[in-house]
Amino acid sequence: MKEALPRISRVALLSDPESDAGQARAAEVAARALGVGTQVLRAGRPGELEMALSSAQKNRAEALIVLSSASFYAHRAQVVALAVRYRLPAMYHNKEFVVGAGGLMSYGADFRDLFRRAAGYVDKILKGAKPADLPVEQPTKFELVINLKTAKALGLTIPQSLLLRADQVIE
């Protein structure tokens, strides 16, 4: 987000209190290191999304980062529509917010790679390995997806350096 909007000074973090697991705190630390202020917006239910994004606009947030949440994923069309309505450039954790719902950009784990690697675990377990003996792995492959249609609708110009690194650009 900082590379897409170099002059950004304040970002809103949309957090689901039911599934945050420290995401907001980690995002606040990262933002502070970049000299960006944060505002945490808590929305646990779809009915709270409108109020949360309205609050971001009232508090002059210049962008929105939507943290990982099953609820946000299930209601991604509503989340994206509200971000666009409140003119908040938004970054999401999953490309389905961008590819299927029209969000601005996403950066997150490549789920196809995760599922492929999970198949290896299933194979080992079926061959007798004990699940408790298998190592926990972190994602190693991430995807950046940018939607230029949404960028244009928001009046944004995405830097060429970011577009060149994107795994997918929607035009």
Side-chain angles (χ1 to χ4, degrees):
M1 185 61 79
K2 179 70 172 168
E3 189 170 346
L5 304 168
R7 291 185 177 93
I8 192 169
S9 63
R10 185 161 176 78
V11 66
L13 306 170
L14 184 60
S15 170
D16 179 348
E18 300 293 320
S19 63
D20 184 283
Q23 293 179 79
R25 191 170 40 259
E28 287 176 306
V29 169
R32 196 172 318 122
L34 294 169
V36 176
T38 57
Q39 170 191 9
V40 178
L41 310 170
R42 304 212 186 277
R45 292 184 287 281
E48 298 172 336
L49 290 169
E50 170 106 31
M51 187 169 45
L53 272 72
S54 172
S55 171
Q57 186 186 49
K58 287 176 188 166
N59 288 306
R60 300 183 189 268
E62 298 164 291
L64 174 71
I65 295 177
V66 178
L67 302 175
S68 179
S69 160
S71 178
F72 297 158
Y73 184 82
H75 298 96
R76 63 190 173 276
Q78 180 185 5
V79 173
V80 168
L82 287 167
V84 170
R85 179 166 27 141
Y86 287 105
R87 307 210 36 84
L88 289 167
M91 177 171 268
Y92 306 91
H93 69 282
N94 184 294
K95 74 178 189 176
E96 301 304 321
F97 283 84
V98 179
V99 174
L104 176 62
M105 68 177 124
S106 66
Y107 183 72
D110 178 340
F111 283 96
R112 286 179 303 221
D113 182 59
L114 291 177
F115 295 149
R116 181 189 56 73
R117 291 174 41 205
Y121 273 73
V122 171
D123 181 57
K124 289 175 185 176
I125 292 167
L126 291 175
K127 289 179 178 173
K130 294 179 183 174
D133 294 338
L134 296 175
V136 174
E137 294 183 14
Q138 296 293 323
T140 57
K141 187 174 178 190
F142 294 84
E143 294 180 299
L144 173 62
V145 180
I146 300 171
N147 186 332
L148 290 178
K149 286 189 246 180
T150 303
K152 184 177 180 180
L154 292 170
L156 300 175
T157 301
I158 303 297
Q160 189 68 23
S161 60
L162 197 56
L163 292 173
L164 290 173
R165 288 199 321 269
D167 296 286
Q168 184 177 356
V169 176
I170 299 168
E171 298 199 47

